[in-house]
């Protein structure tokens, strides 16, 4: 009997021990499962946030990049034709040569630069980050036609982290003088691109520029012949023999919308008539056709220098906008025939 009681007690103890072991094992397995999954998810999310933050930091530290550079090039290519100009871009290879002999960006190292009478530190830094007062990120140059002379070179730069469009029209050596452009369309478009905003479509840029120009009226060969007679031949008292003997040919140059200064341009349908040989400036005329048989005479020198233009800019502006209106006249038949025959376009 005693042996049976002992055996029963041992059996009960064994069952209790087995149950306790099972109860201890189950929570451990569940804890491992529930803890491992959130830990992995948290680590992944943390890595993603860190990556995004790093990417944003990288973008914000560069004022200029290839995307902005392409936007600026697209703007210049759409805006320049409305000004009757064609700009060449410095692409990082061969230097950009101006008509007066300076080479960009080499000139930054070979010649001092001034603004408002003060020397400035300026250099080419494609990303916009550098140690200059003006860190130039893009350079565009337009060499004017031989008759106008000079050049317009835009230096798109960052000054104290802010975008500024500078213009160089220096014609004499020694010091290169620059200033912020007075052309608001160029200045605002660069600022907009630098700030990460869109400058609008190509067509809207062109229309905005064109709307600021007086349209004038299209000119015909007969208009040109009448203009030559009214503005040049008649004041000289020429007859048909005079036209034959004095003039070998009559040249017509379309200067519509041609830029003289960053904030000064001829208006649409503006032309220069000049004789060959041109003995003096009275053998030439600048005019804009403004209506049927009417032209606005722009009384400024043909062979002007850039220095003269800088000194007389407001007078030139007044002539372009408010020059005297002249009614075109028809000369004697044979005189007009000779004039028409000598016109070359």
């Amino acid at each position: 009997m005693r042996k049976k009681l002992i055996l029963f007690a041992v059996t009960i103890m064994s069952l209790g021990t087995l149950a306790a072991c099972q109860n201890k094992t189950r929570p451990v397995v569940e804890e491992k499962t529930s803890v491992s999954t959130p830990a992995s998810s948290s680590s992944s999310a943390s890595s993603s946030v860190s990556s995004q933050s790093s990417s944003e930091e990288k973008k914000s530290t560069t004022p200029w990049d290839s995307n902005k550079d392409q936007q600026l090039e697209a703007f210049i290519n759409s805006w320049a034709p409305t000004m009757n100009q064609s700009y060449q871009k410095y692409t990082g290879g061969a230097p950009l040569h101006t008509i007066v002999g300076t080479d960009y960006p080499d000139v930054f190292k070979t010649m001092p630069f001034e603004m408002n009478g003060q020397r400035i530190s300026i250099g080419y830094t494609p990303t916009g980050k550098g140690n200059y007062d003006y860190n130039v990120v893009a350079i565009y140059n337009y060499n004017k036609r031989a008759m106008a002379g000079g050049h317009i070179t835009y230096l798109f730069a960052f000054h104290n982290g802010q975008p500024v469009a500078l213009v160089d029209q220096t014609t004499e050596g020694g010091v290169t003088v620059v200033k912020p452009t007075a052309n608001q369309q160029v200045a605002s478009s660069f600022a907009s691109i630098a700030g990460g905003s869109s400058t609008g479509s190509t067509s809207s840029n062109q229309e905005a520029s064109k709307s600021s120009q007086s349209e004038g009226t299209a000119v015909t060969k007969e208009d040109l012949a009448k203009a030559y007679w009214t503005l040049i031949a008649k004041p000289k008292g020429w007859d048909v023999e005079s036209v034959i003997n004095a003039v070998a040919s009559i040249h017509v140059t379309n200067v519509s919308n041609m830029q003289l200064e960053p904030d000064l341009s001829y208006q649409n349908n503006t032309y220069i008539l000049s004789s060959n040989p041109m003995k003096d400036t009275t053998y030439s005329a600048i005019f804009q056709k403004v209506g049927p048989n009417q032209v606005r005479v722009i009384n400024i020198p043909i062979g002007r220098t850039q220095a003269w233009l800088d000194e007389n800019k407001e007078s030139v502006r007044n002539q372009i906008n408010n020059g005297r209106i002249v009614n075109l006249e028809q000369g004697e038949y044979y005189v007009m025939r000779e004039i028409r025959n000598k016109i070359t376009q």
Side-chain angles (χ1 to χ4, degrees):
M1 181 69 177
R2 187 177 178 181
K3 288 182 178 180
K4 288 181 179 180
L5 289 173
I6 293 171
L7 181 61
F8 179 75
V10 169
T11 302
I12 294 299
M13 290 177 63
S14 298
L15 291 172
T17 302
L18 179 60
C21 289
Q22 289 175 344
N23 288 337
K24 286 181 181 179
T25 303
R26 188 177 295 111
V28 172
V29 173
E30 288 177 354
E31 183 179 0
K32 284 182 180 180
T33 303
S34 63
V35 170
S36 62
T37 300
S40 175
S41 175
S42 174
S43 174
S44 175
S46 175
S47 174
S48 175
V49 170
S50 175
S51 175
Q52 289 177 0
S53 176
S54 174
S55 176
E56 287 174 1
E57 264 183 38
K58 187 174 181 180
K59 288 181 181 177
S60 65
T61 58
T62 305
W64 197 250
D65 56 35
S66 59
N67 181 49
K68 292 178 180 179
D69 193 64
Q70 289 171 7
Q71 290 183 55
L72 179 60
E73 184 175 9
F75 162 72
I76 293 293
N77 289 341
S78 66
W79 164 80
T82 69
M83 306 300 292
N84 201 32
Q85 297 171 352
S86 177
Y87 281 82
Q88 184 179 0
K89 175 187 178 182
Y90 174 65
T91 59
L96 194 60
H97 186 73
T98 73
I99 199 170
V100 296
T102 52
D103 291 321
Y104 278 97
D106 299 355
V107 69
F108 290 137
K109 298 178 180 179
T110 60
M111 188 178 293
F113 276 67
E114 285 187 1
M115 182 188 298
N116 298 323
Q118 301 293 323
R119 292 289 174 92
I120 62 170
S121 168
I122 187 170
Y124 179 64
T125 54
T127 63
K129 290 183 70 67
N131 298 320
Y132 302 103
D133 293 335
Y134 293 86
N135 296 292
V136 177
V137 295
I139 308 170
Y140 287 83
N141 178 68
Y142 163 64
N143 290 323
K144 296 182 181 180
R145 298 171 183 173
M147 186 173 288
H151 67 108
I152 300 173
T153 307
Y154 283 109
L155 309 174
F156 296 96
F158 285 85
H159 175 57
N160 293 330
Q162 297 301 311
V164 57
L166 303 177
V167 62
D168 162 30
Q169 292 182 285
T170 308
T171 56
E172 298 178 359
V175 176
T176 299
V177 178
V178 296
K179 60 184 177 182
T181 179
N183 189 307
Q184 289 305 304
Q185 190 176 7
V186 172
S188 62
S189 293
F190 176 54
S192 178
I193 292 170
S197 301
S198 172
T199 60
S201 67
T202 297
S203 60
S204 64
N205 281 334
Q206 290 176 333
E207 290 305 315
S209 180
K210 286 179 180 178
S211 66
S212 67
Q213 300 290 338
S214 174
E215 291 189 1
T217 304
V219 70
T220 65
K221 189 169 186 178
E222 187 62 25
D223 293 328
L224 295 171
K226 289 180 180 179
Y228 192 87
W229 166 255
T230 306
L231 303 178
I232 300 174
K234 183 182 176 182
K236 293 181 176 298
W238 283 354
D239 57 15
V240 65
E241 293 298 324
S242 300
V243 174
I244 293 173
N245 295 328
V247 180
S249 59
I250 300 169
H251 298 291
V252 181
T253 305
N254 186 344
V255 293
S256 299
N257 301 323
M258 189 180 83
Q259 191 174 39
L260 302 174
E261 291 276 337
D263 60 340
L264 179 64
S265 303
Y266 286 125
Q267 295 180 352
N268 200 23
N269 288 309
T270 300
Y271 298 85
I272 297 178
L273 282 175
S274 57
S275 306
N276 181 27
M278 189 169 71
K279 297 179 181 178
D280 55 54
T281 55
T282 62
Y283 279 63
S284 64
I286 308 175
F287 69 92
Q288 178 197 22
K289 188 179 178 186
V290 294
N293 288 318
Q294 280 193 329
V295 298
R296 173 180 287 112
V297 178
I298 303 170
N299 188 23
I300 61 176
I302 299 292
R304 61 189 174 275
T305 63
Q306 188 63 46
W308 182 92
L309 184 59
D310 291 340
E311 292 174 5
N312 297 276
K313 184 164 69 172
E314 292 311 312
S315 175
V316 172
R317 191 192 308 279
N318 184 58
Q319 283 290 318
I320 290 173
N321 296 326
N322 305 302
R324 65 188 176 94
I325 303 298
V326 174
N327 293 320
L328 297 181
E329 299 177 20
Q330 180 81 40
E332 190 264 339
Y333 172 80
Y334 292 103
V335 174
M336 296 304 296
R337 185 184 65 179
E338 284 299 322
I339 291 174
R340 279 191 293 269
N341 291 339
K342 292 178 182 294
I343 291 176
T344 60
Q345 290 180 278

